[in-house]
Amino acid sequence: MPTPPAPAFRHYRPRRALWDNKAVRAGTVALLLALCGLLILALVREQTGTPGFLVGLGLAVLPVPLLIAAFRWMDRVEPKPWKNLIFAFAWGACAATLVALLANGYATKWLMNTIDIAHREEASSFGATFVAPVVEESAKAAAVLLLYLYRRRDFNGIVDGVVIAGITATGFAFTENILYLGNAYASDQSFGASGFTTTAGTFVVRVLMSPFAHPLFTSMTGLGFGIAATLPAHRRALRALVPFVGLLTAMVLHGVWNGSASLPGLGFLIVYALFMVPVFGTLTWLTIWSRQTELRTIRAHLPEYQAAGWLTPPEPLALSSMRARAIARDVAKRAGGPGAARTVAEYISFATSLAFLRQRAYAGRLEPDFAAREQELLHHLWQRKGVAQPALERASLSLVRPTMTAPSAPCGMPPAYGPAAAPGWQSSGPHGPGRYQ
C-alpha cells in the first residue's frame, strides 16, 4: 500500500514575539472574555437580585439550544470549528453585553439629565430607538470582524457570515434576556403582582415571539462580511463598504424593532407581522440558496482532483450531496463503528475545504500559501481514503450521476496538485495508480 504524501514543510521563520504565539493569543482572549463574563454576571445580579437572576437564567436558556441547532443546520456543508462558534457566543454573551450595558446606561443618564422631567419617557424611547441599536450592533459586529480578519480560512461566503453573526447575537440575547426576565420577576415580587404576570408577558414577547430578533439584526452584518469574503482581492473599496452597509442595515432593523414597542395599540404586532417576519423569511431563503451554491461549488471544483488521481469518480457527486454524505457516514458506522464514521466526517470536511480553497483561487483570491494548504488537505484525505472512499462510493449509488467536468483554469491559476507531482511519486503507467518510492 502506498504511503501518504508528505505534508508541506514550513519555511524557516525568525523567532517571533510572544504575542505571535497562537496559544498566548488564545489564552489572552479567553481571559478577557472570562473577566467580561464575571463583570456582566455581577452587574446583572446586582440589578435583578439573586432570585430574579436565577429565574431569568432558567427562562433565558430555553431558546439557546434551538437557535444554535438552527445555525448549525445552516452550516452543515462546511461546519465551522467549534472554537470559532464558542468565541462568537462568548463574545456576544459577555463582551458585547458588557459594552452595551455600560454605554446604554451612560447614554440614558445623559438623556435624562438633559431633557425636561416631563419628557423623560420620550428620552427613554429615544435612547432605545436610536442609541441602543448603534451601540449593541457595533459591539456584536466586532466578533464578526475579528473572525473575518483572523480566521479567513473559515470565512468563505454568506452562510459563514450569517452563522457567525447569528451565534454572536444568540449569546447577546441570552444575557439580555436574563436581565429583562430577572427584572420582570423582581417587579412582580416587589409590587405584589399575582403570580408571574410581568414575567410571563416578558417571556412571551422576548422568548416565544421574538427569539430570532437579535440574530436577525446582526445577520445583516454577517451578510455584509459574507459578501465581502466572496469578492476578489483587488476590490478593496467594495470589500470595506459592503460590511459597513450590512452594519447600518442591522442598526436600522434594530431601531425599527425597538421603536415599535412604543407604538400605540397594535403597532408592535403590525411591525412584527408586516416587517420583521418577511425580513426573517427572506434571510432564511437567502441562506438556504447560498448553502445550495456551496454544494454546487464542491461539485464544480472537486472533479479536478478526481482527474488528477486523488479522488475516485463517484466522490465529487457524493460529496456535493447532503443525503449522500449522511449515507456514507451510516455505511462507515455499520462497517467500522463510530470511529469509522468520524473518519468519513473528517474526510468530507477536508474535501469541502479543498473545493473552497480552489474556488477562492478561481475567484481571484489566490492565497500566498495556496500550494502548501492544498498539499496539507490532500495529505489528510490520503490518510483517510481507505475508510472514506468505499463509503462514499456506496453512497453515490443512491444518486443520479450527471456528467461533471472541471472548470477550465483561468490565467495564472495553478493546476491541481496530483499524485504525479508529489515528491517521491513514480507513475506506474497510464493505467496504474502509481506508487511512492
Side-chain angles (χ1 to χ4, degrees):
M1 179 177 179
T3 57
F9 292 98
R10 296 182 178 179
H11 296 290
Y12 171 77
R13 294 179 181 177
R15 189 173 183 178
R16 299 177 298 178
L18 182 63
W19 182 248
D20 292 333
N21 187 293
K22 290 184 178 180
V24 172
R25 293 202 302 268
T28 303
V29 171
L31 178 61
L32 290 175
L33 288 175
L35 290 175
C36 290
L38 292 175
L39 287 174
I40 195 68
L41 174 64
L43 290 173
V44 171
R45 184 175 173 275
E46 181 182 2
Q47 291 193 28
T48 63
T50 300
F53 172 79
L54 294 176
V55 171
L57 176 63
L59 296 176
V61 77
L62 295 178
V64 171
L66 297 177
L67 290 170
I68 292 179
F71 286 114
R72 289 293 288 176
W73 176 83
M74 291 181 184
D75 200 32
R76 286 175 63 201
V77 176
E78 190 191 19
K80 296 294 150 291
W82 274 106
K83 60 182 179 181
N84 290 3
L85 302 183
I86 292 172
F87 166 79
F89 185 88
W91 182 279
C94 302
T97 47
L98 180 62
V99 170
L101 190 62
L102 295 177
N104 289 340
Y106 283 123
T108 301
K109 288 181 181 179
W110 180 83
L111 289 171
M112 292 294 187
N113 292 331
T114 55
I115 294 178
D116 184 62
I117 296 178
H119 299 88
R120 285 192 175 182
E121 186 175 342
E122 295 181 7
S124 179
S125 177
F126 180 88
T129 304
F130 297 100
V131 177
V134 175
V135 172
E136 295 177 9
E137 294 307 323
S138 298
K140 289 181 284 184
V144 188
L145 174 63
L146 289 173
L147 290 173
Y148 177 81
L149 293 176
Y150 296 104
R151 289 290 184 269
R152 286 301 301 276
R153 186 174 286 180
D154 304 319
F155 217 118
N156 295 308
I158 290 175
V159 173
D160 300 328
V162 170
V163 168
I164 291 298
I167 294 291
T168 303
T170 299
F172 185 94
F174 167 65
T175 303
E176 190 179 63
N177 284 341
I178 295 175
L179 180 62
Y180 277 90
L181 290 165
N183 282 332
Y185 177 80
S187 176
D188 282 337
Q189 299 304 304
S190 62
F191 290 102
S194 58
F196 301 95
T197 307
T198 308
T199 308
T202 305
F203 178 80
V204 169
V205 172
R206 297 192 63 87
V207 177
L208 298 184
M209 287 185 62
S210 57
F212 60 84
H214 273 289
L216 175 61
F217 309 147
T218 313
S219 290
M220 298 296 108
T221 304
L223 182 63
F225 278 102
I227 294 174
T230 65
L231 297 174
H234 67 272
R235 305 293 297 275
R236 293 182 180 178
L238 189 59
R239 292 175 71 183
L241 178 62
V242 173
F244 182 70
V245 172
L247 176 59
L248 287 180
T249 305
M251 293 175 180
V252 170
L253 287 177
H254 198 155
V256 170
W257 175 257
N258 285 359
S260 67
S262 61
L263 294 177
L266 299 177
F268 170 78
L269 294 178
I270 292 174
V271 171
Y272 180 87
L274 299 182
F275 186 70
M276 302 303 293
V277 172
V279 171
F280 177 75
T282 302
L283 179 66
T284 302
W285 171 85
L286 181 61
T287 305
I288 294 174
W289 172 84
S290 182
R291 198 178 82 162
Q292 294 302 116
T293 302
E294 290 181 340
L295 291 173
R296 288 192 292 269
T297 296
I298 296 171
R299 184 174 299 184
H301 291 282
L302 285 186
E304 288 192 65
Y305 296 100
Q306 181 263 312
W310 290 103
L311 306 178
T312 58
E315 284 184 79
L317 176 61
L319 289 166
S320 62
S321 166
M322 300 306 298
R323 176 189 172 194
R325 289 180 173 201
I327 293 174
R329 290 192 295 268
D330 290 340
V331 168
K333 186 174 182 179
R334 289 196 299 270
R342 284 194 299 271
T343 299
V344 172
E346 292 169 355
Y347 187 93
I348 292 171
S349 177
F350 289 126
T352 302
S353 297
L354 187 64
F356 280 110
L357 178 72
R358 198 151 191 90
Q359 189 271 338
R360 290 194 296 271
Y362 270 85
R365 293 175 282 128
L366 183 63
E367 301 169 6
D369 62 343
F370 174 88
R373 176 61 175 164
E374 183 185 43
Q375 292 182 41
E376 178 186 350
L377 292 171
L378 290 170
H379 174 73
H380 288 303
L381 292 181
W382 192 274
Q383 288 181 315
R384 295 162 175 80
K385 69 171 189 166
V387 175
Q389 287 185 345
L392 288 166
E393 291 175 10
R394 176 79 175 274
S396 68
L397 298 176
S398 63
L399 305 173
V400 178
R401 297 171 181 259
T403 302
M404 293 182 296
T405 57
S408 57
C411 180
M413 176 71 189
Y417 180 85
W425 178 271
Q426 181 181 21
S427 174
S428 59
H431 304 293
R435 61 185 178 85
Y436 272 86
Q437 295 178 322

